[in-house]
Amino acid sequence: QCSAITAQEYDRLADEAMDKLVTFFEDLGDGMDIDAFDVEYSQGVMTLILGDVGTYVVNKQPPNRQIWISSPISGPERFDFSVDRNAWVCRKTSDTLGKLLERELRDALAMADLAVPIK
């Protein structure tokens, strides 16, 4: 089932979220000393390698108008854009993509003040 946004809206919103995440994690990596830290973004797929923590994969799914995540901590989830909440929201948990990443990475990286730049 597709999100209740047009394909054009999806492209804009998903690209904006992915760009913010990539920039955020590149800047975060520049300021941290984590072995094997790397961020790659290509063709709608962001790979975030966090050494011993594991690897996150966040990718656009245009046919479903979703963003999918594979987390080394919580596993796979799918997020639809909620116009009401102005955020990418998991139907199963009602968690937003930004809050999921923030919660997991605050714990994994021991950074209580980590603030992911998307909802």
Side-chain angles (χ1 to χ4, degrees):
Q1 181 177 348
C2 290
S3 296
I5 55 175
T6 67
Q8 293 79 13
E9 288 172 317
Y10 167 80
D11 285 336
R12 181 182 60 77
L13 292 163
D15 286 344
E16 180 181 287
M18 296 298 283
D19 289 345
K20 285 181 179 179
L21 288 174
V22 170
T23 300
F24 174 75
F25 288 121
E26 286 174 344
D27 292 347
L28 183 68
D30 289 345
M32 296 188 70
D33 185 23
I34 297 179
D35 287 340
F37 182 99
D38 194 23
V39 180
E40 296 175 7
Y41 185 63
S42 177
Q43 298 181 328
V45 180
M46 181 189 78
T47 305
L48 174 63
I49 301 167
L50 294 174
D52 293 339
V53 173
T55 300
Y56 283 83
V57 178
V58 182
N59 61 296
K60 293 170 46 179
Q61 285 292 321
N64 303 338
R65 297 184 194 154
Q66 294 176 325
I67 292 179
W68 291 5
I69 183 173
S70 174
S71 160
I73 296 168
S74 61
E77 285 297 348
R78 300 173 182 200
F79 294 83
D80 294 283
F81 190 80
S82 166
V83 175
D84 293 341
R85 293 176 66 184
N86 193 31
W88 293 94
V89 178
C90 177
R91 282 189 210 158
K92 200 165 47 173
T93 64
S94 294
D95 232 351
T96 67
L97 177 58
K99 289 299 172 198
L100 172 78
L101 286 167
E102 207 166 79
R103 183 177 59 248
E104 290 188 8
L105 295 174
R106 280 179 176 180
D107 290 343
L109 301 175
M111 296 178 70
D113 61 346
L114 183 78
V116 175
I118 64 168
K119 289 183 180 179

